[in-house]
């Protein structure tokens, strides 16, 4: 049974990175008839879900949701609850790469700018000689190309499909195609490929540990201020909310398939 903390209507699992990896393995071993969805909610996710009913609905239907940001950790503390650790998207990604290297799980990388997923694949294969990345495709494609991508993915039948199209597009893409994708697990990965390709350098370990990675990224990518300005609004909303678990939409408002 899942141990969940709900923040403004968005469910997030109380798990460590290792536990998230183990759950992913369990999901892989379940029936292949259904594509299980794994998400990594952060403050941006939660705030987008307050305005986007479809996105709110999708986040309810994950098989696993990992706590991605310091803002999510704060949201739990304001409820006098806690997550055992923060799991940034790249940390979860690396955990799965290590499991693939050890246990042979097959992986497909979808998304990113031209050449980025391929470069990430090459770098990962140098670092993890037994990692099983069976295919890649960039994140720019039209409707006709999309059909070919899905066909390729289904022919390869990867255990894990990583989708890096940016939120909420990647989560909506996974949700809308989950019934036709022949994969065990699909998960959104945002900008992870940029790090693995060497395009962006991740914050030093000490900065990650104290929860200031968001500030490191902001200093290196000042345009992120537009996205991160939702943080104070999120905190105010949480502080003054009578019920911090309730979002704009309720479970009765949404339709699940």
């Amino acid at each position: 049974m899942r141990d969940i903390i709900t923040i403004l209507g968005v469910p997030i699992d109380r798990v460590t990175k290792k536990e998230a990896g183990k759950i992913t393995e369990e999901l892989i071993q379940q029936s292949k008839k259904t594509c299980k969805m794994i998400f990594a909610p952060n403050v941006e996710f939660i705030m987008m879900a307050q305005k986007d009913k479809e996105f709110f609905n999708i986040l309810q239907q994950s098989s696993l949701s990992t706590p991605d940001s310091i803002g999510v950790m704060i949201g739990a503390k304001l409820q006098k609850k806690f997550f055992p650790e923060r799991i940034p998207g790249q940390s979860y990604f690396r955990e799965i790469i290590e499991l693939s290297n050890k246990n042979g799980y097959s992986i497909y990388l979808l998304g990113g700018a031209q050449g980025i997923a391929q470069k990430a694949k090459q770098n990962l294969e140098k670092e993890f000689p037994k990692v099983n990345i069976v295919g890649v495709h960039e994140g720019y494609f039209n409707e006709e190309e999309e059909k070919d991508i899905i066909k390729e993915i289904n022919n390869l039948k990867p255990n894990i499909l990583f989708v890096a199209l940016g939120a909420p597009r990647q989560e909506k893409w996974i949700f809308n195609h989950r019934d036709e994708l022949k994969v065990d697990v699909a998960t959104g990965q945002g900008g992870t490929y940029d790090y693995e390709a060497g395009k962006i350098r991740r914050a030093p370990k000490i900065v990650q540990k104290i929860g200031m990675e968001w500030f490191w990224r902001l200093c290196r990518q000042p345009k992120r201020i537009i996205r991160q300005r939702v943080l104070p609004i999120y905190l105010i909303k949480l502080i003054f909310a009578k019920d911090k678990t309730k979002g704009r939409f309720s479970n009765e408002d949404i339709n699940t398939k």
Side-chain angles (χ1 to χ4, degrees):
M1 186 174 178
R2 293 172 67 180
D3 183 3
I4 289 173
I5 297 176
T6 303
I7 301 175
L8 296 179
V10 176
I12 307 172
D13 292 81
R14 291 185 71 254
V15 290
T16 64
K17 181 179 69 173
K18 292 296 182 184
E19 288 169 342
K22 183 178 179 182
I23 291 170
T24 302
E25 288 191 286
E26 291 171 353
L27 292 172
I28 288 171
Q29 291 158 12
Q30 291 177 10
S31 169
K32 295 184 181 294
K33 293 181 180 180
T34 307
C35 167
K36 280 75 72 177
M37 301 182 295
I38 297 178
F39 302 136
N42 56 25
V43 170
E44 290 177 57
F45 275 56
I46 294 171
M47 293 304 287
M48 278 189 275
Q50 305 310 302
K51 298 179 180 179
D52 187 335
K53 189 174 181 179
E54 178 190 8
F55 190 40
F56 183 91
N57 172 20
I58 291 169
L59 294 178
Q60 309 303 309
Q61 300 183 62
S62 69
S63 293
L64 172 68
S65 288
T66 56
D68 181 77
S69 71
I70 189 67
V72 168
M73 308 291 279
I74 293 171
K77 287 182 179 179
L78 289 173
Q79 298 182 45
K80 297 187 166 115
K81 300 175 182 177
F82 72 95
F83 291 106
E85 65 177 305
R86 184 174 67 94
I87 311 174
Q90 193 194 20
S91 293
Y92 170 76
F93 178 83
R94 287 236 142 198
E95 180 67 17
I96 301 306
I97 292 296
E98 289 180 10
L99 289 172
S100 172
N101 191 59
K102 179 181 177 182
N103 299 322
Y105 300 125
S106 54
I107 293 169
Y108 191 102
L109 305 180
L110 172 63
Q114 185 176 12
I116 292 296
Q118 183 62 41
K119 181 62 176 176
K121 177 179 184 290
Q122 292 169 358
N123 289 347
L124 289 164
E125 288 173 340
K126 287 179 184 177
E127 186 176 353
F128 302 94
K130 294 183 180 179
V131 70
N132 189 17
I133 302 174
V134 295
V136 302
H137 197 286
E138 66 180 65
Y140 299 94
F141 47 82
N142 57 36
E143 190 173 338
E144 192 59 37
E145 290 169 330
E146 179 179 79
K147 294 177 182 177
D148 291 335
I149 292 169
I150 292 173
K151 183 177 179 180
E152 178 181 68
I153 292 170
N154 287 343
N155 285 337
L156 293 169
K157 294 185 173 70
N159 295 120
I160 305 155
L161 170 63
F162 287 108
V163 183
L165 302 176
R169 183 187 170 202
Q170 60 197 19
E171 289 74 26
K172 291 184 177 182
W173 192 90
I174 291 169
F175 180 80
N176 290 333
H177 296 288
R178 72 196 187 287
D179 291 334
E180 57 186 306
L181 285 167
K182 294 179 181 178
V183 304
D184 298 315
V185 171
T187 177
Q189 274 301 302
T192 292
Y193 303 167
D194 289 333
Y195 291 106
E196 297 298 345
K199 183 179 179 181
I200 301 174
R201 186 162 67 92
R202 195 170 175 193
K205 294 287 186 183
I206 184 63
V207 176
Q208 297 177 38
K209 189 173 181 180
I210 63 175
M212 292 297 288
E213 190 169 9
W214 65 271
F215 185 70
W216 166 272
R217 294 176 69 185
L218 179 61
C219 290
R220 297 179 69 85
Q221 299 171 284
K223 290 183 180 180
R224 290 182 64 87
I225 189 65
I226 297 173
R227 295 167 55 184
Q228 293 185 348
R229 65 186 179 186
V230 300
L231 180 58
I233 301 171
Y234 163 79
L235 291 174
I236 291 169
K237 193 175 185 70
L238 270 179
I239 289 168
F240 290 100
K242 291 182 179 179
D243 186 343
K244 296 171 177 48
T245 70
K246 298 289 185 182
R248 179 182 173 189
F249 308 109
S250 68
N251 290 334
E252 288 72 28
D253 290 327
I254 62 176
N255 294 313
T256 58
K257 291 178 79 175

